[in-house]
Every structure is written in structure tokens, then in C-alpha cells.
Amino acid sequence: MSQAHQPCPKCGSSDALLINDDGSTKCFSCGEFTPSVSPQKENTPEEFLKGVARAIPQRCLNQETCKKYKYNTGTYKGKEVQIATYRDLDGNPVFQKIRFVEDKQFMIIGKFKPLLYGAHLFKGNNKKLIITEGEIDCLSVSQVINGYPVVSIPNGANNAKAAIKENLEWLERFEEVVLCFDMDEAGRKAVKECAPLFSIGKVKVMSLPLKDPNEMLKAGKIEELYKATWNGAEYRPDGIVSGSELWEEIDKPVCYGLSYPWKKLTELTYGIRTSELIVFGAGTGMGKTEFFKEIEAHLLLEHKQKIGIIHLEEQTRETILGLMSKHSSIKFHLPSAEYTEEQKRKAFDETIGTNRVFIYDSFGTCDLETIKNTIRYMVKGKDCKYVFLDHITALGDGLEDGNNVNQYMRRVVSELANLTRELDFTLFTISHLRKSEGKKPHEEGGRVHLDDLYGAAALKQWASYVFGLERNQQAVDEEIRHTTTLRCLKDRYTGLAAGQTIQIKYNKDTGRLIESEGEYQDITEDDF
């Protein structure tokens, strides 16, 4: 059936071209006549559409390009269609992908196989190959570069990996493979899925300012498209960077992190940095949570930071009153405390009321995935750079077999440590201690070793800092009973703080933990 009032690719007229039944064309504006192109005779399944190769003006594709790939135009049930015939490497037709021009819908004739469109055309040049996301893009790139092989995947970015895997042996013949998928989320995902299938160093990724090659062609950005085929970036997995790109990063000054509440600890550790896992280990009743609250209040009040609090064995009311107590040096949590309503309100407004404190209010929940999701929300949803988990040992509660406990705690520690790096935040957590055998009990001031902590093997590998808290709760002398030795068991940053100790005293009147005057201690006796 002839088609009148079509656009002319020669003179640009929008409606002067007549397409005759045999495929020949005549423009009544410029007079250009194009003879018909007889379809090549070949053994094709009877149900396959024939069609003829001709220019597709609305896509800026010329007849020569369509003829090369036998991207034909025809009709199906009275509707204009474009016909892409997929062939095996010997050139035998396998199936057809039919595109309806009017509504851009697709259908398949024949038995679909994950072939690459146009692959049968290229048997000699094995230097460089370009893979696009669709037939139109394949034609667009081929028309512009007019040289190196160009093929396309058969059924979209979501299925690109399957097509690449099916044709990998043929693809590996090429020295270089350029992935030219659409510049959208699906295309980027396809690159990440397909690139690792190839030999290392073979893949390059094309980047375009517009969505796809045909958009570039229609916009007249032919030179940019041509250059893009040669300027593809070498694919490398996420997380790998070239050393030559890192000067700006290392040219930044090395600075202290945020301070701890205790000057000597800040000096030993160079402060609190993000992307670190910091662990405190201590026996029962050693005041671990008090240490946490001291650090929480310091970050909140001194550094104006947002903090996330997950105290699994403490009611939310206790957590809030504890922070208020650190703020005002008043024991709001005790019935004997004396204070005015004004003092209490001020303490609340300047701690919890700042909207910089986010507390996980679900007493006793110990599911790892729940905790991870909570942390992720605090960090990404509420911008908390410092999160406190009291305590990590609770996540392994209920496991009785020692081997299962060790294996599970390794998973807990590794996943939480990786989370700090992924989200760039600091996670403070507490670990309980195993019962000491043949040594002075931890509750009587026995020295804490790294192996005493639950999940010690994983902590050795993943934690940035591990601190042990040592205090003799049974001492007759009140000053000894209220003095804690904070011992650094691991220092990944410099290693210099490992083995150093700091004396922290509890002021029973204010409820504050104050650093003792004097020099660092380096105590090595096992039973101290």
C-alpha cells in the first residue's frame, strides 16, 4: 500500500514524499526519486515478514544503514512496522522483533533466543565492539562511526546480563568491548551486571549527555556521539579508584576528630572519627552505660552533634533522665535528687528538646536486621553521625552452643563494622565479658583482656578501638571503689594507644565521670 504525505529526508519537506508499493519513493517538493530495493531472497520461515530497507527520517537513519542491518519497514495487519531479524552467527534467521511505529509496541515472530542483533555481520574485525541497548541505537552508532562492529541486546536492559552470558564466547574474541546502554537507572544497573562477566580490562563504558545514541543523532550531536565511542571510561568495580585521582583527597590536612569527655583519651586516640566501630568491654555492674551517657552528652552539648541511641536494656525514660543528669550534674533519675522545675526543664530543652537526639524505643529487641535497619534510618533519615548501641552482646542472646555464638557474633560485628563504612558514621557499642576462670574476677578489678570479650575474634579484625573498663566494686576504700581504669586494648589508627590506661573517677554527688589527674598508666600485671 502506497503512503503519501511522508517527510522527505533529502529536502526536509514534512509531507511531500510518496512511498510506492514497491518501496520506491518520489518527493514532489525536490523531485528526488529513489528506486525500490528488492528484498534479498533467503530461506526464511513462512510467518516472517518481508519488508524493505529504507530510510527512517523520524529517527535520522539513512537507507544505507538500514540496508546493512536489513532493518526493514513493512506492514502487519494493516499497521506500519519496523522489522529487526535476529540471526545466528552463520546468518540464518532465527526470530523477528517487530516494532509498531504508531504506538512503539513490540512483538516477536518465531522462537526467541538471546542473540545479539547484527552479530552475524562481523567476523573479521576483532579489535573493538560496541554493544547498545536496542536496535535503533545500534543503527545510530553504526551510522556515525561507519566502521567498527556495533550490535544490540535483544530485549532491554533488564535482560542484558542473560544475553551477554549467552554470547560471551563470541564477545571475548574482541580486544575491547564498549557498553553503550541508556543513561538511566536501568542502563547503569545493566552495566554493573554485565561488565564483570568479561575479562579484566576489556570493558569500557560510554557516557552520553542525552539518554541514548539515537537521541544524540536526532539532536545533531553527531561529533559528540562519535567521540564518545572512543572516550569510554574503563570499567572498574565500585570501590576501586586510581591513585592518580586521589591527590585532592590526601592534600587535605589531617585533623583531630571530635573530642572525648576526657582530655587524655582524646590525646591518645586523636579524637572520634567517623566510619569507625568503637567497643567498650566490661563486667556486670561496671558502669558501662554511664560511660556511654557521658560520651553521648559530650557530643550533644559540646559538639552540637545529632546522636542515635539504642539502649536495649534500658527504658527510654531512664535514657532521657540520664542525659539530663549529665547536662546539669544533677541526678534527676534518683528520688532523693534536689532540683527546681526550672532546672529540670532547662536540662530537657538543652538535651532531648534540641531535636538532635533520636532514641530507639523498643525495650529488649535483639534482632540484628531490625537493629541494622534502625541504625540506617538514624544515619540516613535523621543525619546522626554518632550512634550508641548498648549492648552488642544482646544480639547473640539465646544461642547456647559456644561455636554458634562465636560464629554469629562474627557476623554481627562484621556487618555492623561494614555498615559504619557504608554510611560513614561512628558506632559506639558495649560488649559483655566472659566469666574469668582462675583469675581475679572482673567485678573485683581483674584486668580485662581482648579475648575476654564476646566476639573477640571478630573485634580483633573489625573494631577500630576496643577499651576495657576495670574497677573493684568490692573495695573497702570508697575512692578505689569509685575509680575505673579505662584500658585501651586495641588501637587500629596508630597502635600507640594500645596498653595505655586512664583513671576515671565517679563523682557520687554530681553523677559525672571525671578524668583523674596524673599521668597515663601502663599496667601489665595480669591480675591487676
Side-chain angles (χ1 to χ4, degrees):
M1 178 183 292
S2 63
Q3 299 177 58
H5 306 295
Q6 300 298 307
C8 176
K10 180 71 175 178
C11 68
S13 171
S14 62
D15 62 356
L17 185 72
L18 172 68
I19 302 175
N20 298 309
D21 292 343
D22 63 357
S24 63
T25 64
K26 168 73 175 181
C27 180
F28 292 94
S29 176
C30 65
E32 179 75 11
F33 175 78
T34 302
S36 65
V37 179
S38 300
Q40 181 178 349
K41 293 183 179 180
E42 57 186 13
N43 273 328
T44 59
E46 291 184 2
E47 73 270 26
F48 277 17
L49 302 184
K50 304 300 181 182
V52 293
R54 55 181 175 231
I56 306 176
Q58 63 269 33
R59 291 286 189 170
C60 295
L61 294 172
N62 60 39
Q63 185 182 42
E64 181 181 356
T65 300
C66 294
K67 182 178 178 181
K68 175 181 179 180
Y69 282 84
K70 295 185 178 177
Y71 190 82
N72 293 342
T73 299
T75 59
Y76 178 81
K77 294 184 178 181
K79 296 182 179 180
E80 184 181 2
V81 294
Q82 294 165 357
I83 308 163
T85 301
Y86 278 74
R87 305 168 185 271
D88 60 25
L89 293 178
D90 293 324
N92 301 311
V94 178
F95 71 92
Q96 288 183 323
K97 184 176 176 182
I98 309 302
R99 181 181 184 275
F100 291 86
V101 174
E102 183 177 353
D103 58 12
K104 300 182 181 180
Q105 295 298 308
F106 292 92
M107 65 173 286
I108 299 295
I109 297 178
K111 186 176 181 180
F112 175 85
K113 290 185 179 180
L115 304 174
L116 297 177
Y117 183 66
H120 68 285
L121 298 173
F122 309 108
K123 299 178 181 179
N125 188 337
N126 290 342
K127 186 173 180 61
K128 178 176 180 176
L129 172 74
I130 300 171
I131 306 176
T132 68
E133 193 173 312
E135 300 86 10
I136 294 292
D137 288 333
C138 172
L139 300 177
S140 301
V141 175
S142 179
Q143 182 168 298
V144 168
I145 65 172
N146 194 27
Y148 286 103
V150 187
V151 299
S152 86
I153 55 178
N155 55 342
N158 292 334
N159 300 290
K161 183 178 180 181
I164 297 297
K165 289 178 68 175
E166 185 70 21
N167 296 275
L168 194 57
E169 182 181 356
W170 180 78
L171 291 168
E172 282 286 343
R173 299 176 189 175
F174 293 86
E175 296 178 21
E176 178 182 305
V177 174
V178 181
L179 299 182
C180 182
F181 297 158
D182 288 1
M183 302 293 111
D184 55 17
E185 185 176 350
R188 289 189 289 271
K189 180 182 177 183
V191 167
K192 290 184 178 181
E193 291 178 343
C194 295
L197 299 175
F198 293 89
S199 300
I200 296 175
K202 185 183 292 288
V203 174
K204 290 189 176 180
V205 181
M206 191 187 299
S207 180
L208 300 173
L210 301 180
K211 180 179 179 292
D212 57 46
N214 190 246
E215 291 295 321
M216 297 285 290
L217 188 62
K218 291 191 296 181
K221 297 181 179 294
I222 297 174
E223 184 176 356
E224 289 182 58
L225 179 57
Y226 179 83
K227 289 181 179 179
T229 65
W230 292 100
N231 296 332
E234 180 181 351
Y235 172 79
R236 57 193 181 206
D238 289 345
I240 296 179
V241 294
S242 170
S244 62
E245 301 172 359
L246 296 176
W247 169 250
E248 290 186 4
E249 185 65 27
I250 64 99
D251 195 38
K252 299 175 183 177
V254 180
C255 302
Y256 270 84
L258 300 184
S259 67
Y260 281 95
W262 310 290
K263 180 181 177 182
K264 292 179 182 178
L265 185 57
T266 302
E267 292 174 354
L268 282 173
T269 61
Y270 294 91
I272 303 169
R273 292 165 295 278
T274 54
S275 298
E276 292 189 340
L277 172 63
I278 300 174
V279 183
F280 288 81
T284 303
M286 294 297 292
K288 301 180 292 295
T289 305
E290 283 300 311
F291 268 83
F292 257 29
K293 289 176 182 175
E294 202 73 52
I295 301 172
E296 290 165 356
H298 184 76
L299 289 171
L300 176 66
L301 301 172
E302 179 69 20
H303 295 295
K304 311 301 181 186
Q305 295 294 313
K306 291 184 177 181
I307 60 174
I309 298 177
I310 306 172
H311 289 180
L312 298 177
E313 296 184 348
E314 185 176 64
Q315 299 286 356
T316 301
R317 173 182 168 82
E318 297 177 64
T319 303
I320 295 173
L321 291 175
L323 284 177
M324 292 168 56
S325 297
K326 298 299 181 184
H327 166 277
S328 303
S329 298
I330 298 173
K331 296 181 178 181
F332 290 109
H333 60 293
L334 296 182
S336 60
E338 296 182 359
Y339 53 84
T340 65
E341 190 63 29
E342 182 181 357
Q343 288 174 314
K344 185 177 182 179
R345 185 69 209 192
K346 177 179 173 64
F348 179 87
D349 289 343
E350 295 183 2
T351 54
I352 307 302
T354 60
N355 201 32
R356 296 199 304 271
V357 181
F358 301 90
I359 302 173
Y360 178 59
D361 184 12
S362 187
F363 181 80
T365 299
C366 299
D367 176 68
L368 175 58
E369 291 306 314
T370 300
I371 298 303
K372 285 171 58 180
N373 289 335
T374 300
I375 292 173
R376 186 179 295 276
Y377 174 73
M378 286 177 167
V379 176
K380 301 300 289 185
K382 295 300 181 182
D383 298 321
C384 297
K385 283 293 186 180
Y386 304 91
V387 178
F388 294 80
L389 172 60
D390 179 9
H391 51 90
I392 197 172
T393 316
L395 302 182
D397 285 352
L399 297 176
E400 298 179 358
D401 182 80
N403 291 330
N404 288 340
V405 171
N406 290 335
Q407 185 176 3
Y408 184 71
M409 289 307 297
R410 180 179 291 277
R411 175 194 165 197
V412 168
V413 173
S414 64
E415 290 191 16
L416 291 177
N418 282 322
L419 200 63
T420 66
R421 291 153 177 78
E422 176 194 342
L423 304 180
D424 188 28
F425 75 103
T426 298
L427 178 62
F428 294 88
T429 190
I430 287 172
S431 172
H432 284 181
L433 304 179
R434 296 185 178 92
K435 184 178 180 181
S436 58
E437 297 182 3
K439 301 177 182 178
K440 181 185 292 187
H442 295 122
E443 292 75 18
E444 296 180 14
R447 177 171 172 177
V448 177
H449 297 79
L450 190 54
D451 287 336
D452 294 334
L453 280 69
Y454 281 98
L459 293 175
K460 290 177 182 179
Q461 178 180 356
W462 293 101
S464 298
Y465 285 95
V466 180
F467 299 103
L469 303 180
E470 303 163 0
R471 179 168 63 89
N472 186 353
Q473 303 174 43
Q474 310 302 319
V476 176
D477 187 289
E478 185 177 64
E479 184 171 355
I480 294 176
R481 193 165 66 247
H482 289 161
T483 299
T484 298
T485 298
L486 189 153
R487 181 185 301 277
C488 184
L489 303 175
K490 178 187 177 182
D491 172 6
R492 179 188 290 274
Y493 188 55
T494 66
L496 300 177
Q500 296 286 349
T501 62
I502 302 171
Q503 301 298 303
I504 308 292
K505 291 185 177 180
Y506 175 73
N507 186 315
K508 64 178 183 179
D509 295 325
T510 64
R512 302 299 301 278
L513 294 171
I514 308 299
E515 182 178 343
S516 174
E517 296 296 329
E519 299 300 319
Y520 307 147
Q521 298 184 42
D522 186 5
I523 304 172
T524 59
E525 290 82 5
D526 287 350
D527 61 347
F528 185 85

